[in-house]
Amino acid sequence: MAATEFEDVKGFLPMEEAEKLRQWATLGAQVGPLLEIGSYCGLSTLHLADVAREANTVVFAVDHHRGSEEHQVGEFFHDDALTDDQGDFDSLPEFRRNLKRYQAEDVVIPLVALSTTVARHWTTPLGFLFIDGGHSLDAALADYRGWSSHLLRDGLLVIHDVFANAAKGGQAPHAIWQLAKQSGLFEEVGSFQSLRALKRL
Ligand code: MG
């Protein structure tokens, strides 16, 4: 399937980035299962699901579905359609609806929880890790520290929303990208728009 799919799925992943994400995920899927942090309504998840199915593996989709800071009521990225009966942010129904509509429930394993909590109990080695969760420094650092150690050798770490210019946002993703590069544990694979890929040595 082409990356032009899923145009009616809400999300923050331009089509060209989706295409690159699929290319890198295809490499990672040869090494082991895929895991993403930050699924929102499932746009990136559906792209990764295509790749996983092709490689006969799965996508673990970690998201508490209560939204990041910027999704909360009154914030810039809030979407009134994504609220529960209490008026609180909730992207899980929309996420499940999209998995069902695009028949991805067979290869996507939703983990509805804080990523740090899941990371603490995680034991399955991964071939591909997509960090696209909370963009506060605390959240991004916790995701990097909690999950990067679960990547297998030759597995790929991909980080979204990396911008060197603070005015464009993405300072926390940029910070963990720098950390990964300086750790000695990864080699750079490439950069594409706001995506950064590294390979676990
Ligand atoms: Mg993102």
Side-chain angles (χ1 to χ4, degrees), residues 19 26 28 30 47 62 74 81 93 97 176 196-197:
E19 190 62 61
T26 300
Q30 306 310 310
H47 287 290
V62 181
R97 189 157 38 237
I176 62 170
R196 300 290 180 275

mmCIF file of all heavy atoms in Angstrom, residues 19 26 28 30 47 62 74 81 93 97 176 196-197:
data_model
loop_
_atom_site.group_PDB
_atom_site.id
_atom_site.type_symbol
_atom_site.label_atom_id
_atom_site.label_comp_id
_atom_site.label_asym_id
_atom_site.label_seq_id
_atom_site.Cartn_x
_atom_site.Cartn_y
_atom_site.Cartn_z
ATOM 1 N N GLU A 19 6.095 8.405 4.190
ATOM 2 C CA GLU A 19 6.806 7.548 3.241
ATOM 3 C C GLU A 19 8.192 7.171 3.777
ATOM 4 O O GLU A 19 8.606 6.012 3.712
ATOM 5 C CB GLU A 19 6.930 8.281 1.894
ATOM 6 C CG GLU A 19 7.433 7.429 0.761
ATOM 7 C CD GLU A 19 6.505 6.253 0.453
ATOM 8 O OE1 GLU A 19 5.338 6.459 0.090
ATOM 9 O OE2 GLU A 19 6.983 5.105 0.598
ATOM 10 N N THR A 26 10.631 -0.470 7.525
ATOM 11 C CA THR A 26 10.846 -1.705 6.776
ATOM 12 C C THR A 26 12.203 -2.320 7.123
ATOM 13 O O THR A 26 12.328 -3.536 7.259
ATOM 14 C CB THR A 26 10.736 -1.428 5.261
ATOM 15 O OG1 THR A 26 9.418 -0.916 4.994
ATOM 16 C CG2 THR A 26 10.958 -2.682 4.440
ATOM 17 N N GLY A 28 13.809 -1.799 10.030
ATOM 18 C CA GLY A 28 13.718 -2.243 11.419
ATOM 19 C C GLY A 28 12.917 -3.526 11.574
ATOM 20 O O GLY A 28 13.230 -4.375 12.410
ATOM 21 N N GLN A 30 12.849 -6.013 9.801
ATOM 22 C CA GLN A 30 13.647 -7.208 9.509
ATOM 23 C C GLN A 30 14.365 -7.692 10.771
ATOM 24 O O GLN A 30 14.811 -8.836 10.847
ATOM 25 C CB GLN A 30 14.703 -6.934 8.416
ATOM 26 C CG GLN A 30 14.136 -6.345 7.120
ATOM 27 C CD GLN A 30 12.947 -7.128 6.591
ATOM 28 O OE1 GLN A 30 13.002 -8.341 6.463
ATOM 29 N NE2 GLN A 30 11.845 -6.426 6.305
ATOM 30 N N HIS A 47 0.476 3.314 9.109
ATOM 31 C CA HIS A 47 1.620 3.145 8.210
ATOM 32 C C HIS A 47 2.531 2.021 8.717
ATOM 33 O O HIS A 47 2.974 1.160 7.957
ATOM 34 C CB HIS A 47 2.413 4.451 8.101
ATOM 35 C CG HIS A 47 1.703 5.490 7.280
ATOM 36 N ND1 HIS A 47 1.548 5.368 5.926
ATOM 37 C CD2 HIS A 47 1.104 6.655 7.628
ATOM 38 C CE1 HIS A 47 0.883 6.425 5.468
ATOM 39 N NE2 HIS A 47 0.596 7.212 6.473
ATOM 40 N N VAL A 62 1.941 2.356 21.928
ATOM 41 C CA VAL A 62 1.849 2.843 23.309
ATOM 42 C C VAL A 62 1.315 4.275 23.341
ATOM 43 O O VAL A 62 1.904 5.179 22.732
ATOM 44 C CB VAL A 62 3.243 2.809 23.987
ATOM 45 C CG1 VAL A 62 3.133 3.286 25.443
ATOM 46 C CG2 VAL A 62 3.858 1.418 23.909
ATOM 47 N N GLY A 74 -8.544 23.791 25.542
ATOM 48 C CA GLY A 74 -8.045 25.167 25.593
ATOM 49 C C GLY A 74 -6.675 25.349 24.976
ATOM 50 O O GLY A 74 -6.248 26.469 24.723
ATOM 51 N N ALA A 81 -13.627 17.113 19.000
ATOM 52 C CA ALA A 81 -14.216 15.815 18.669
ATOM 53 C C ALA A 81 -13.584 14.696 19.495
ATOM 54 O O ALA A 81 -14.134 13.598 19.582
ATOM 55 C CB ALA A 81 -14.035 15.526 17.183
ATOM 56 N N PRO A 93 -11.161 6.084 21.336
ATOM 57 C CA PRO A 93 -12.243 5.630 20.433
ATOM 58 C C PRO A 93 -11.915 5.880 18.962
ATOM 59 O O PRO A 93 -12.152 5.008 18.117
ATOM 60 C CB PRO A 93 -13.449 6.459 20.892
ATOM 61 C CG PRO A 93 -13.164 6.805 22.313
ATOM 62 C CD PRO A 93 -11.668 7.006 22.369
ATOM 63 N N ARG A 97 -11.370 3.095 16.100
ATOM 64 C CA ARG A 97 -12.197 3.166 14.907
ATOM 65 C C ARG A 97 -11.319 3.104 13.654
ATOM 66 O O ARG A 97 -11.622 2.401 12.697
ATOM 67 C CB ARG A 97 -13.012 4.475 14.929
ATOM 68 C CG ARG A 97 -14.058 4.593 13.869
ATOM 69 C CD ARG A 97 -15.183 5.571 14.231
ATOM 70 N NE ARG A 97 -14.711 6.761 14.933
ATOM 71 C CZ ARG A 97 -15.153 7.137 16.127
ATOM 72 N NH1 ARG A 97 -16.050 6.426 16.761
ATOM 73 N NH2 ARG A 97 -14.698 8.228 16.700
ATOM 74 N N ILE A 176 16.858 14.691 22.639
ATOM 75 C CA ILE A 176 17.096 13.241 22.756
ATOM 76 C C ILE A 176 17.821 12.702 21.516
ATOM 77 O O ILE A 176 18.573 11.734 21.608
ATOM 78 C CB ILE A 176 15.808 12.429 23.065
ATOM 79 C CG1 ILE A 176 14.756 12.552 21.967
ATOM 80 C CG2 ILE A 176 15.242 12.825 24.414
ATOM 81 C CD1 ILE A 176 13.594 11.572 22.136
ATOM 82 N N ARG A 196 14.327 11.824 12.372
ATOM 83 C CA ARG A 196 15.738 11.451 12.513
ATOM 84 C C ARG A 196 15.802 9.949 12.778
ATOM 85 O O ARG A 196 15.055 9.458 13.614
ATOM 86 C CB ARG A 196 16.406 12.179 13.682
ATOM 87 C CG ARG A 196 16.392 13.696 13.572
ATOM 88 C CD ARG A 196 17.319 14.226 12.470
ATOM 89 N NE ARG A 196 17.284 15.670 12.402
ATOM 90 C CZ ARG A 196 16.375 16.377 11.722
ATOM 91 N NH1 ARG A 196 15.412 15.756 11.047
ATOM 92 N NH2 ARG A 196 16.409 17.684 11.712
ATOM 93 N N ALA A 197 16.711 9.274 12.087
ATOM 94 C CA ALA A 197 16.850 7.831 12.277
ATOM 95 C C ALA A 197 18.268 7.478 12.699
ATOM 96 O O ALA A 197 19.240 8.023 12.159
ATOM 97 C CB ALA A 197 16.487 7.096 10.996
#
